[in-house]
């Protein structure tokens, strides 16, 4: 971001900034999603995603998918949790089941 | 009451030892200390273990069996555990427990209807249309996940549904972290692409090449 001449993307891509282009960002959209990788690069990709509607929309699709998935987490049901807790207590009491 | 110490056991710390290889009688831990460590390190992870076991086994009875076996193995191997990263340790034990388990596939249970139990309608307000669309989207994604090959579905289940880190998923699957990442990204990409014909999302930008990765191992079982 300090030197706008470095890594400039030719071709007049409306989304292109000095450092990254759409193809690169789209390739790494899941890395941004997971906050996975080098911080400096992530900052650049994120800036592009904010500024470029098509790329931003792609990230939003992935965010929507993972948000839905996160809601599908289920907890161990109470009856199962109770049985497992009892199982643990028996183990600790030296009452190990034959497995 | 024996004196309890916070110091990790200095004996029996060979990490190569299988978690069942050393008989319980060979441990230096007292019964009370073993029980305390179990309570402190293992019990709090029971819920995660069950969810992970369910992700892997795909049915509740098997998941419970696997967790019980994991608890038992963990209890027996507490003497060789250094106390760090209990979840990673337990996930590795769980993987071994699952692998060694007598495997009976029960196909009729593969799509456990209870897994979809909380997918009922949500609202009767003015936003019913938005809610309905969201519900359809949710149902669609849930179904699309079920249709993924096992190796893909597993990582989505572990990481995106159950919130495990890449490393934790790698521990439980016994694969390198890069494999987890690669499978996850490819799986999500499939989910994303499946939205288009169903009318739930814009077409993926055309300039996006197929995800390149060096972990093109088979993902089905
Ligand atoms: Zn762009």
């Amino acid at each position: 971001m300090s030197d706008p001449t470095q890594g400039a993307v030719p071709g007049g891509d409306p989304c292109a900034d000095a450092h990254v282009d759409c193809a690169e960002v789209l390739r790494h959209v899941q890395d941004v999603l997971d906050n996975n990788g080098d911080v400096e690069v992530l900052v650049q990709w994120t800036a592009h995603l904010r500024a470029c509607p098509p790329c931003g929309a792609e990230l939003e699709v992935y965010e929507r998918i993972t948000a839905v998935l996160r809601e599908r987490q289920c907890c161990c049901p109470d009856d199962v949790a109770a049985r497992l807790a009892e199982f643990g207590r028996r183990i600790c009491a030296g009452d190990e089941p034959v497995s | 009451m024996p004196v309890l110490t916070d110091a990790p056991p200095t004996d029996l710390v060979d990490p190569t030892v299988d978690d069942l290889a050393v008989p319980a009688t060979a441990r230096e831990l007292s019964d009370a200390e073993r029980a305390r460590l179990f309570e402190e390190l293992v019990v709090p992870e029971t819920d995660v273990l069950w969810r992970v076991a369910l992700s892997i086994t795909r049915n509740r009875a098997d998941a419970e069996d696997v967790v019980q076996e994991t608890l038992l193995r963990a209890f027996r191997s507490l003497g060789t555990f250094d106390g760090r990263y209990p979840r990673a340790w337990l996930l590795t034990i769980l993987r071994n427990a699952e692998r060694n388990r007598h495997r009976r596939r029960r196909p009729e249970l593969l799509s456990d209807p209870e897994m979809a139990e909380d997918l009922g309608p949500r609202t009767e307000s003015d936003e019913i249309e938005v809610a309905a669309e969201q519900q359809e989207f949710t149902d669609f994604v849930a179904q699309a996940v079920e249709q993924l090959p096992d190796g893909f579905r597993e990582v989505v289940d572990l990481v995106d549904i159950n919130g495990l880190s890449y490393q934790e998923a790698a521990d439980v699957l016994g694969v390198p972290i890069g494999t987890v990442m690669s499978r996850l990204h490819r799986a999500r990409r499939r989910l994303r692409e499946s939205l288009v014909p169903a009318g739930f999302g814009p077409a993926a930008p055309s300039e996006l090449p197929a995800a390149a990765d060096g972990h093109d191992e088979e993902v089905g079982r």
Side-chain angles (χ1 to χ4, degrees):
Chain A
M1 275 154 231
S2 50
D3 180 2
T5 64
Q6 200 161 33
V9 180
D13 184 335
C15 303
D17 68 19
H19 294 81
V20 291
D21 63 21
C22 291
E24 178 188 345
V25 171
L26 290 171
R27 237 182 349 262
H28 293 286
V29 72
Q30 295 194 55
D31 291 317
V32 175
L33 184 75
D34 290 346
N35 207 16
N36 174 48
D38 180 67
V39 176
E40 239 174 81
V41 182
L42 283 172
V43 166
Q44 286 183 12
W45 289 337
T46 304
H48 178 99
L49 286 160
R50 288 217 185 93
C52 173
C55 289
E58 190 62 11
L59 178 64
E60 274 173 29
V61 173
Y62 279 98
E63 284 174 340
R64 193 176 183 205
I65 292 171
T66 49
V68 160
L69 294 173
R70 220 172 297 125
E71 281 177 19
R72 289 186 58 76
Q73 179 178 125
C74 55
C75 289
C76 186
D78 288 347
D79 58 326
V80 178
R83 280 198 299 276
L84 291 172
E86 173 60 22
F87 185 85
R89 278 191 293 275
R90 278 171 51 207
I91 294 173
C92 289
D95 180 19
E96 291 186 16
V98 182
S99 57
Chain B
M1 185 83 171
V3 177
L4 303 183
T5 169
D6 284 321
T10 50
D11 55 335
L12 296 172
V13 283
D14 178 2
T16 63
V17 153
D18 177 84
D19 61 83
L20 281 180
V22 183
T25 50
R27 307 296 166 75
E28 300 290 336
L29 292 175
S30 70
D31 290 348
E33 186 159 21
R34 188 179 293 274
R36 180 183 69 83
L37 288 171
F38 186 83
E39 192 67 35
E40 184 182 308
L41 302 173
V42 180
V43 170
E45 302 292 338
T46 308
D47 187 68
V48 169
L49 292 175
W50 184 81
R51 286 189 277 116
V52 168
L54 185 63
S55 300
I56 294 173
T57 63
R58 311 249 63 210
N59 87 70
R60 293 182 180 221
D62 288 347
E64 196 168 336
D65 283 350
V66 168
V67 175
Q68 288 192 347
E69 181 65 20
T70 303
L71 296 177
L72 192 55
R73 287 171 178 234
F75 183 79
R76 288 173 180 165
S77 58
L78 274 168
T80 59
F81 176 52
D82 66 7
R84 293 188 303 155
Y85 309 114
R87 181 172 297 178
W89 171 66
L90 288 164
L91 290 174
T92 304
I93 293 176
L94 187 149
R95 166 165 56 94
N96 291 331
E98 157 65 7
R99 279 194 180 163
N100 295 350
R101 192 171 63 96
H102 174 62
R103 301 187 80 155
R104 295 162 296 135
R105 283 273 173 190
R106 289 190 275 175
E108 74 277 9
L109 289 176
L110 282 181
S111 56
D112 184 347
E114 285 181 273
M115 305 271 296
E117 62 200 346
D118 51 12
L119 290 178
R122 289 182 191 172
T123 177
E124 292 174 273
S125 76
D126 288 344
E127 292 159 346
I128 193 158
E129 220 169 289
V130 175
E133 200 272 344
Q134 176 63 21
Q135 190 59 56
E136 277 175 33
F137 180 80
T138 300
D139 292 349
F140 181 85
V141 171
Q143 200 185 6
V145 169
E146 293 302 313
Q147 286 165 359
L148 290 172
D150 274 357
F152 282 169
R153 183 198 48 73
E154 249 168 10
V155 289
V156 168
D157 203 333
L158 293 171
V159 176
D160 281 342
I161 298 180
N162 282 297
L164 264 58
S165 66
Y166 292 166
Q167 184 59 59
E168 288 166 347
D171 289 338
V172 77
L173 296 174
V175 299
I177 193 167
T179 303
V180 168
M181 212 180 304
S182 154
R183 285 185 192 173
L184 181 67
H185 286 197
R186 288 158 68 197
R188 287 190 190 137
R189 176 125 181 98
R190 285 201 188 193
L191 295 177
R192 188 261 173 274
E193 282 165 353
S194 73
L195 298 178
V196 180
F200 283 115
S206 56
E207 68 265 47
L208 183 55
D213 60 72
H215 305 275
D216 211 290
E217 83 297 346
E218 50 96 25
V219 293
R221 289 264 171 77

